[in-house]
Amino acid sequence: MRHLHLAFSTLALAATGLAAAIVAPAADAPAAPAAPAADAAPMSPDNPFAQPSSLPYQLPPFERIRDSDYRPAFIAGMAAQRAEVAVIAHDPQPPSFDNTIVALERSGRLLDRVSSTFFNLTTSNSDEEILRIQTEMAPKLAAHQDATHLDPALFARIESLYARRSQLHLDAESLQLLERYYTDFVRAGARLAPAEQQRLRDLNQQLSSLTAAFGQNVLKASREGAVVVRQASQLQGLSPSQIGVAADAAHARGLDGKCVIALQNTTTQPVLAQLKTRRLRERIYRASIARGIGGATDNTALIARMVKIRAERARLLGYPNHAAYVLADETAGNPQAVRDLLLQVAGAALPAARREAGAIQQIIDREAAASHRPGFTLQPWDWQYYSERVRKSKYDFDAAQVRPYFELDRVLRDGVFFAAQQLFGLTFKERHDLPVYRSDVRVFEVFDRDGAPLALFLADYFARDNKQGGAWMNNYVTQSKLLGLKPVVVNNLNIPKPPAGAPALLTFDEVTAMFHEFGHALHGMLSDVQYPLLSGTNVPPDFAEYPSQYNEMWAREPVVVAHFARHYQTGAPMPPALLERVLAAQKFDQGYLTSEYLEAALIDLAWHEIGPAQAPPADQVMDFEATALRHFGVAYAPVPPRYHSPYFLHIFSDADDYSAGYYAYLWSEVLARDTGQWLHAHGGLTRANGDYLRARILSRGRTEEPRQLFQDCYGSPPDVGPLLEYRGLTLPAK
Ligand SMILES: [Zn+2]
């Protein structure tokens, strides 16, 4: 939830050539239109992507890459792969696993090199030109994918191999690869008749425009929805530096002397936790939920069309609805399994939220009585403000007390790396001799338990204005024995950069994020598979968050915390009483946080379980949402959904397609907490446990279907109990 892979789905699509997930291919017309002028420039032989990098681990030669290198490399890369695919599709030899499937795995190397670097930098170090290239290339890359997936000669070869798969004497991983290719092609429409394929391309084309328009509307609506405050004195509760930011924001809009509160993506706005003036809190909240409804940035009409098109596309591909289509290829398998999990957790989360609301209402009533003013009923815009008061009274510490014990470098070496060393025997050596794209980025060479070189790990931890928000992991080079590649992975965070010479002192949330993202990094670095398509983090989203969420647990493990939580000046360990309060506070407000997430996930599911005829008209979009929440029994006014549909980017925008997939974080977390409990029952932070997990999960990528990987590892299906316990939630007694 907190740590989104912004780059993940984009890269999975583009970087592995014929990669796995066709989520929502934005198909161009099959015949490419006349090339615009920019395409005319051929790739020069000294283009930095023209040859594999000669740097260790094929790290991209950042010092040589200019923005002007991308466009020609993309064009040449797509052309080269199209030519490779044509040779495979029209090979006079009868189809074999090697001349078809393995050949496809080997194709597209140039495109892979340019894509992986480019899509990393669009999120972490972009500029105007990179954004322009991205807009220009997205439909071309989608059309490139479609051209391959809808190539009848190529699919005929894959289909004939698939039909004979039991007679091909393939090893397990090769068999899985063949099945993945077949599945990916079928899911992208390869088995449809030509007229249906044309319809599919049309639908994809429409979706591509609609999702792009949705995202742009949200951006605009959020900007225009920012709340203007006449004077700084109304901002009681904010810190001087926050007020400074609000004044700067006003200045940037030509509103000197006033203040502007910008809106974040979520329904609830972080400033609501601090603002004392109730009327202002209400204004900000109402501005937040008004986004995308009516006016020039209306998204309700787009939603109505999108859900209808997705439903029709699912029918075309042989599924009852979009959710069934998406989930068939995820660990969850089907909508029923997702609904069951979400409602089971809701059974614990909603009652907890009501208890939390009770505690808040008590404070409100007490204060009203003390000040002889009329009381009021808790509203959504009050929750954060009063829960913050409850938190302080219950746990009695503030961030300033804690930060000196969480110094970034110590957390990294004595926490994150330490845990990986204990579990997997890995060691880390910083390299200062390799090029990076920003001086902030640090490079570590990672050595395996036997001392052999394993991977490069790039740590890009600081915020800057050309980097997307949030935290994520990505691959620069994906491990593959077939191609002789060792992994190069990166972790991105947005920790505010301290002034030169000052230490970076973290919050516990930031510490947790470092462990989380490093869990993804381990999944990439410990990958030990033959084929790139099945490598490392190329797994369904509802499994991808499993290694990361499990790795988070070490941030709270007593033996690990004791190792890294030391005062940056004195080296003294964190006082046990303070540490205890910090850890206990992690379970605070979980009724609210879990419920708002569940509501959003159920809205997502409701939209994508309808047939084409059930899509409501634009003016009933909000009713549809409200009805769904009531239907699922999760409508509770003080806890609004984390996102309302008109600004729910995860499921309606092109940037990050989690449609019918917002549940994935919770699904993964069930696996992660179950694993956590299992590890504790078996000795905790030990090499034996690490090696066990590595052999069965972390090294395996998607060489088997994730559900099976998990089952083989633990001998039973996942249990939701440990997740509830981790969040401090309990199911009501039956
Ligand atoms: Zn993650």
Side-chain angles (χ1 to χ4, degrees), residues 3 5 516-517 520 545 548:
H3 319 298
H5 289 270
H516 176 103
E517 297 309 331
H520 289 303
E545 294 297 325
S548 54

Side-chain angles (χ1 to χ4, degrees), residues 139-313:
K140 289 189 167 62
L141 287 166
H144 174 69
Q145 295 265 337
D146 267 5
T148 304
H149 280 130
L150 302 179
D151 179 330
L154 181 62
F155 182 62
R157 295 177 74 90
I158 295 170
E159 200 172 27
S160 96
L161 289 166
Y162 180 77
R164 293 183 285 124
R165 64 191 182 284
S166 60
Q167 296 133 50
L168 298 175
H169 308 293
L170 298 174
D171 62 85
E173 187 181 336
S174 298
L175 181 61
Q176 167 77 355
L177 182 70
L178 172 54
E179 289 175 351
R180 286 305 326 155
Y181 265 90
Y182 178 76
T183 304
D184 287 345
F185 273 66
V186 170
R187 288 177 61 77
R191 265 203 320 213
L192 300 182
E196 293 172 323
Q197 289 188 346
Q198 192 47 53
R199 179 71 187 147
L200 183 67
R201 284 192 177 97
D202 291 347
L203 295 176
N204 286 339
Q205 186 78 62
Q206 291 180 47
L207 270 178
S208 158
S209 313
L210 289 167
T211 52
F214 184 95
Q216 285 164 15
N217 278 347
V218 173
L219 204 66
K220 258 186 260 168
S222 294
R223 208 180 296 141
E224 289 164 9
V227 173
V228 182
V229 178
R230 279 159 173 274
Q231 54 223 22
S233 62
Q234 291 175 272
L235 298 179
Q236 264 188 67
L238 298 194
S239 69
S241 82
Q242 285 174 305
I243 292 173
V245 169
D248 288 349
H251 173 73
R253 289 164 187 247
L255 298 170
D256 289 280
K258 296 183 180 173
C259 289
V260 165
I261 304 287
L263 295 178
Q264 311 284 315
N265 287 349
T266 46
T267 295
T268 294
Q269 299 297 313
V271 288
L272 298 184
Q274 295 166 273
L275 285 170
K276 282 191 177 159
T277 311
R278 187 163 188 249
R279 280 232 305 279
L280 179 58
R281 291 202 305 264
E282 180 175 354
R283 257 182 80 200
I284 293 169
Y285 176 79
R286 291 196 184 281
S288 172
I289 63 169
R291 284 174 294 165
I293 303 176
T297 54
D298 179 51
N299 269 339
T300 57
L302 304 187
I303 291 169
R305 287 179 60 199
M306 275 189 271
V307 295
K308 195 176 162 74
I309 292 171
R310 282 174 176 165
E312 187 189 337
R313 185 176 61 178

Side-chain angles (χ1 to χ4, degrees), residues 9-34:
S9 52
T10 326
L11 193 69
L13 193 81
T16 48
L18 291 172
I22 281 291
V23 187
D28 240 355

Side-chain angles (χ1 to χ4, degrees), residues 448-460:
D448 207 347
R449 50 196 169 194
D450 59 0
L454 180 74
L456 283 186
F457 171 68
L458 277 58
D460 188 353

Side-chain angles (χ1 to χ4, degrees), residues 198 270 385 583 626 638 698:
Q198 192 47 53
Y385 181 74
L583 296 182
L698 295 171

